[in-house]
Amino acid sequence: MRNTDPFEFFSTHRDTIFRICGIIGALLIVFLILRAIAMRMGGWSAAWARVKRELAVTRNAFAAPIRAWFQHQRRLRRLIHHLGAPLTWRDAERALVRARQEAAPARPYAALVDDREVTVLLADSTDAGTWTIDRTELPAVTPDPDAVRPVIVSLGVSEDGTGRAVFLDLATGPQQFAIEGDQRAGAALLQAIAAQLDVRLPAGLVTVAEGVHRDHQGEPVRNAYRAARETEPHFGLGPVLIATELPDPLPVELSAPPSEDLSVPRVIVTGPGRGHVRRLLADRHARVYVTGTPLLPFFDALGRALARVLPHIPPVLPPAPPTGNAASDLFEEAEGQEQQQTTLVKTRKAEPEEVPLGRSAAAPLASVADAEAGETSAGPAADATPGTSPSITSRSPQP
């Protein structure tokens, strides 16, 4: 190496040397540019933090659609699991009635149901505002002395990751429920609530105005409200109007404070309400916020879930049978009627000369056999005496 002529070496490896020098020069230029940018950002540490943040944002932008799709499918499965089981609806209703009795004077307005327990949210409560009970501890029948049955609808799945079904009680609070926020999301939520009420309430109680659904030719909102106002309550349940706007001018009964008058229809509309109203704010991410409450469920999978389980959704919880002294009096009266009918039948069998139904007194029976045949044909008619309840007389008293 010592005897190597440097000029000859340079001439021999000239291309390699120029290439290496070019690379070093390019790296030096890049380093100087990066240093200038880093100094402008506040130093190397600040620049590196900025780079990491931008990389995270880029990764999230590509992964967010895939992650959202998986979350949507998971919420859809949870809703189908909960809403497709009639027991879930029944447990939510029984828990609301039980909480009204246990947590008085607080008023329950919503229920969160999972596979193990039911959490009821309370209004005007001095404690944490919740009442929880295990689903296995709920009684089969929950008597309601106030005769105010909950009318619940599903708002989707809770956002806390537990997959609990969220139910809102429409029978409590103001007469108006206004869905505000994103227009497309609000329209989808209104249609989902309308479908649930239509299948849960007795026929004729739900009136849908024009503009709610493209496949439903409803009447103008004033005519629809007039029809709902003239609808008589059934089984302790009042009428419901579903519309895209309120009638103008606003009826006096809708601007009045909340009451338990079943003749006044409950109105569910999209857009801002007027007077006493409960607002549901729907955003473009398919979340609905019930103002004044901690509820913020996702309803993006609610429409698809309802389309699959709508035939399995049960009607509103029927009234519970009377309890206490009223029940005992009823059974005693039924037992007395049963004994009276038994005595009457024995008396009729002991009188063979009686004229059977369908014959006149001027045409006496030919023989006792004819009398017995006539008595046999008249027996069912005598048992079906007006004012006698077959379901009560044929039932033995229960403790």
Side-chain angles (χ1 to χ4, degrees):
M1 186 67 181
R2 297 178 179 178
N3 298 328
T4 302
D5 187 2
F7 295 99
E8 182 180 357
F9 180 82
F10 180 80
S11 177
T12 305
H13 303 87
R14 179 175 54 189
D15 296 338
T16 304
I17 294 174
F18 284 158
R19 187 178 298 109
I20 295 175
C21 291
I23 294 173
I24 294 174
L27 293 177
L28 181 60
I29 294 174
V30 171
F31 172 77
L32 295 176
I33 294 175
L34 292 177
R35 184 180 181 278
I37 296 175
M39 294 302 104
R40 184 174 298 179
M41 290 182 179
W44 288 104
S45 299
W48 178 243
R50 176 72 177 274
V51 170
K52 290 193 297 182
R53 184 165 61 252
E54 294 296 333
L55 290 176
V57 170
T58 303
R59 181 177 64 253
N60 182 72
F62 283 97
I66 301 176
R67 184 168 56 252
W69 184 83
F70 279 106
Q71 293 175 354
H72 172 79
Q73 294 296 319
R74 182 169 62 252
R75 287 192 288 265
L76 177 62
R77 290 193 298 269
R78 295 305 301 172
L79 278 177
I80 293 176
H81 169 71
H82 286 305
L83 303 185
L87 187 60
T88 302
W89 298 82
R90 290 291 180 250
D91 287 348
E93 292 169 330
R94 286 193 286 256
L96 286 169
V97 176
R98 181 74 177 273
R100 188 185 302 128
Q101 303 170 1
E102 297 288 340
R107 298 288 294 178
Y109 62 90
L112 309 178
V113 184
D114 58 17
D115 292 333
R116 293 192 310 106
E117 60 186 16
V118 182
T119 301
V120 178
L121 303 185
L122 306 173
D124 302 330
S125 177
T126 57
D127 54 9
T130 60
W131 183 84
T132 304
I133 186 172
D134 196 276
R135 295 180 62 175
T136 58
E137 298 178 0
L138 285 171
V141 177
T142 306
D144 187 7
D146 298 333
V148 179
R149 284 177 287 162
V151 180
I152 60 174
V153 293
S154 175
L155 294 183
V157 181
S158 60
E159 66 162 357
D160 53 6
T162 59
R164 294 183 294 180
V166 179
F167 295 95
L168 180 66
D169 186 9
L170 300 182
T172 59
Q175 302 292 125
Q176 299 181 40
F177 292 82
I179 303 176
E180 305 178 18
D182 186 76
Q183 185 175 2
R184 294 182 58 185
L189 181 59
L190 182 67
Q191 294 176 6
I193 294 178
Q196 297 178 67
L197 291 176
D198 185 63
V199 74
R200 301 210 68 217
L201 293 179
L205 284 185
V206 180
T207 303
V208 181
E210 63 178 357
V212 175
H213 197 279
R214 63 178 182 273
D215 296 333
H216 178 75
Q217 187 67 26
E219 297 183 355
V221 62
R222 289 190 60 83
N223 298 340
Y225 178 78
R226 189 178 299 109
R229 189 70 174 86
E230 296 174 355
T231 302
E232 296 292 335
H234 295 288
F235 306 110
L237 300 171
V240 178
L241 172 64
I242 301 174
T244 56
E245 60 180 355
L246 290 172
D248 193 20
L250 186 67
V252 179
E253 56 269 15
L254 291 183
S255 59
S259 64
E260 296 182 357
D261 187 5
L262 296 180
S263 62
V264 179
R266 292 191 172 269
V267 183
I268 305 174
V269 298
T270 53
R274 287 176 287 172
H276 297 269
V277 59
R278 173 170 288 175
R279 289 180 170 84
L280 285 71
L281 304 179
D283 60 15
R284 62 186 182 90
H285 301 289
R287 292 178 302 183
V288 55
Y289 170 58
V290 183
T291 57
T293 71
L295 290 178
L296 187 63
F298 285 92
F299 65 92
D300 55 336
L302 184 59
R304 293 182 58 189
L306 289 175
R308 299 188 184 184
V309 304
L310 202 62
H312 305 288
I313 296 180
V316 175
L317 183 67
T323 58
N325 296 331
S328 60
D329 295 342
L330 177 63
F331 288 131
E332 290 177 1
E333 181 181 359
E335 185 177 2
Q337 292 180 357
E338 186 175 359
Q339 294 177 356
Q340 182 179 2
Q341 286 190 355
T342 304
T343 305
L344 178 62
V345 171
K346 291 181 178 179
T347 304
R348 291 178 60 88
K349 289 183 178 180
E351 299 176 355
E353 299 298 332
E354 183 182 2
V355 179
L357 296 178
R359 299 193 183 187
S360 63
L365 296 177
S367 62
V368 177
D370 293 338
E372 294 177 353
E375 179 64 25
T376 304
S377 62
D383 293 339
T385 306
T388 304
S389 175
S391 60
I392 296 178
T393 56
S394 61
R395 188 186 305 166
S396 59
Q398 298 180 3

